[in-house]
Amino acid sequence: MQAGKLMGHAAVAFVSGMLNINAHAQSSVDLYGSIDEGITYVTNEGGGHAAVVGPVAVPDYFGLRGTEDLGGGYKAFFKLQSGFTSNNGANLVPADMFSWLSYVGLTTPLGSLSLGRQFDLTNEALTPNSNGVLQFSYYLFHPANLDDAALTSVNNSIKYTTPSMGGLTMSALYGMDDSSTQPGRVLAFDAIYEHGPFRASAVYSSWHDRAINLGAKLGYTSFLGQSLRDGAIFMAKSANIAGVSARYQGTGIFGVHGMYTHVSIDAPTGSGSMNTVEAGVDLHTTPFNTVTLGGFYSSLTGTRYQEAAIGDVYALSKRTVVYAQASYEHASGEGNAAMALLQPSDASGQAAFRVGLHHFF
């Protein structure tokens, strides 16, 4: 009995001590997010013109992030982030509360380690240098997002990032096989150099047993010998992505950025590849106004896509912008035009005219 009492007192003392430590540790939790809304007039979605409402400049999301300073160069951190659509309030992924990110990690003097649902390293390396981000237009991301330059999450993942070495950081990510949510493994590596207004990156990401909805995204009825009719999903044995990107966004009148990606796809029924080159120029006409011009050329087995866009972005504050954009895509070969976010065209051309309002919080 006496031993039980001693054990009970020891447990209370331990918990009390831990609570005291937590009370004195420096920690923070933030609510953050993005909401975008506007109207797009599309010249061809499956054969007809349409007015579309919904996020385009930046996908809608909200989340919680937090850190705790543990002392001695150690910090604990977490992030929970969910995507939604502002025009109807629906989650991007039904039944998923945190459809984009849900991870926890530890920063040390030797680098950081995180575990959970995280972005593919292609997003970390390429997305910040893309037309889609720098020119506030998701329409400028590439066909079917095969190169993962737009947002792509990896389940059951472990990620390590080195400390910054003169502006250079390197990361490795491994996503484990899960038959219910991620049927194949993911392995990725990146290197990012950032110094002042200059940022450059390189990335390699390898996916095994990947499902790709090419029918809905590109309007294909078959690809590499697989039928995509009646909503069938294309199954790739492997999809390997390599990419490089760079941007220069100084205090002068011009900002420039570019990207190159290569995707190789292997399936039991055949193999193919996609190569994409994109470039953009940002003209800062005033401290508050920017004129954007960007586009890409992409060749996917049997089809070539060319897209160009011009826009104007006016900053009402550091967090709020209004914008107007015009985008046009032309396809030649086997497929038709199919801009990101929109239903594929039934012809070689597709145009979108957009006005919108975006706010970060």
Side-chain angles (χ1 to χ4, degrees):
M1 182 68 72
Q2 187 66 27
K5 289 182 179 180
L6 289 174
M7 289 294 292
H9 291 320
V12 171
F14 175 77
V15 172
S16 298
M18 291 301 295
L19 290 175
N20 287 334
I21 290 173
N22 290 336
H24 289 89
Q26 292 183 350
S27 62
S28 65
V29 176
D30 297 320
L31 171 68
Y32 68 97
S34 164
I35 186 164
D36 179 73
E37 200 52 87
I39 300 174
T40 301
Y41 177 79
V42 186
T43 60
N44 192 319
E45 279 196 307
H49 56 80
V52 181
V53 177
V56 170
V58 179
D60 294 335
Y61 63 85
F62 70 92
L64 294 169
R65 59 190 169 201
T67 62
E68 182 183 16
D69 190 342
L70 304 174
Y74 290 80
K75 290 184 179 180
F77 61 88
F78 78 91
K79 183 175 279 190
L80 301 169
Q81 185 169 313
S82 181
F84 68 99
T85 51
S86 54
N87 55 306
N88 59 18
N91 286 338
L92 283 183
V93 181
D96 277 7
M97 184 172 183
F98 298 109
S99 55
W100 282 11
L101 300 170
S102 57
Y103 63 81
V104 65
L106 189 67
T107 298
T108 79
L110 299 178
S112 66
L113 183 71
S114 53
L115 303 93
R117 181 177 176 86
Q118 304 176 79
F119 285 140
D120 187 7
L121 294 187
T122 51
N123 301 157
E124 179 179 273
L126 302 178
T127 307
N129 292 350
S130 68
N131 283 332
V133 166
L134 295 173
Q135 301 192 343
F136 280 80
S137 179
Y138 206 96
Y139 295 145
L140 283 168
F141 282 112
H142 310 146
N145 195 34
L146 285 178
D147 56 11
D148 288 351
L151 303 172
T152 305
S153 300
V154 180
N155 292 328
N156 317 308
S157 63
I158 303 172
K159 174 186 171 185
Y160 168 73
T161 301
T162 68
S164 178
M165 299 168 286
L168 175 67
T169 59
M170 292 178 286
S171 298
L173 178 144
Y174 183 77
M176 294 181 231
D177 189 340
D178 175 358
S179 59
S180 61
T181 63
Q182 189 169 279
R185 68 107 177 111
V186 181
L187 179 64
F189 304 93
D190 76 9
I192 300 172
Y193 176 76
E194 192 161 7
H195 180 73
F198 179 72
R199 184 184 188 275
S201 64
V203 66
Y204 174 79
S205 180
S206 175
W207 293 66
H208 273 224
D209 301 312
R210 188 172 194 186
I212 309 171
N213 195 355
L214 291 177
K217 294 181 177 180
L218 297 180
Y220 286 6
T221 57
S222 66
F223 186 69
L224 298 182
Q226 293 186 33
S227 173
L228 302 179
R229 296 185 182 277
D230 301 321
I233 304 297
F234 176 78
M235 297 301 301
K237 190 65 179 174
S238 67
N240 299 318
I241 305 164
V244 293
S245 71
R247 77 179 188 213
Y248 182 85
Q249 295 286 325
T251 57
I253 296 178
F254 288 100
V256 294
H257 37 94
M259 180 190 303
Y260 169 76
T261 62
H262 172 79
V263 184
S264 60
I265 302 170
D266 290 305
T269 51
S271 61
S273 64
M274 182 181 79
N275 292 283
T276 302
V277 178
E278 80 161 41
V281 177
D282 308 319
L283 174 61
H284 306 296
T285 57
T286 75
F288 311 104
N289 194 76
T290 301
V291 176
T292 63
L293 179 64
F296 66 81
Y297 171 85
S298 184
S299 61
L300 175 60
T301 306
T303 307
R304 294 174 297 280
Y305 300 87
Q306 303 95 35
E307 185 171 331
I310 186 170
D312 189 89
V313 181
Y314 186 84
L316 299 174
S317 71
K318 290 183 178 180
R319 296 186 176 186
T320 304
V321 300
V322 291
Y323 58 90
Q325 301 160 343
S327 309
Y328 178 76
E329 183 177 289
H330 177 78
S332 57
E334 298 177 5
N336 294 324
M339 295 171 64
L341 292 183
L342 301 175
Q343 295 181 34
S345 169
D346 71 345
S348 60
Q350 188 173 47
F353 304 92
R354 169 80 173 183
V355 292
L357 170 68
H358 176 264
H359 176 70
F360 284 114
F361 61 88

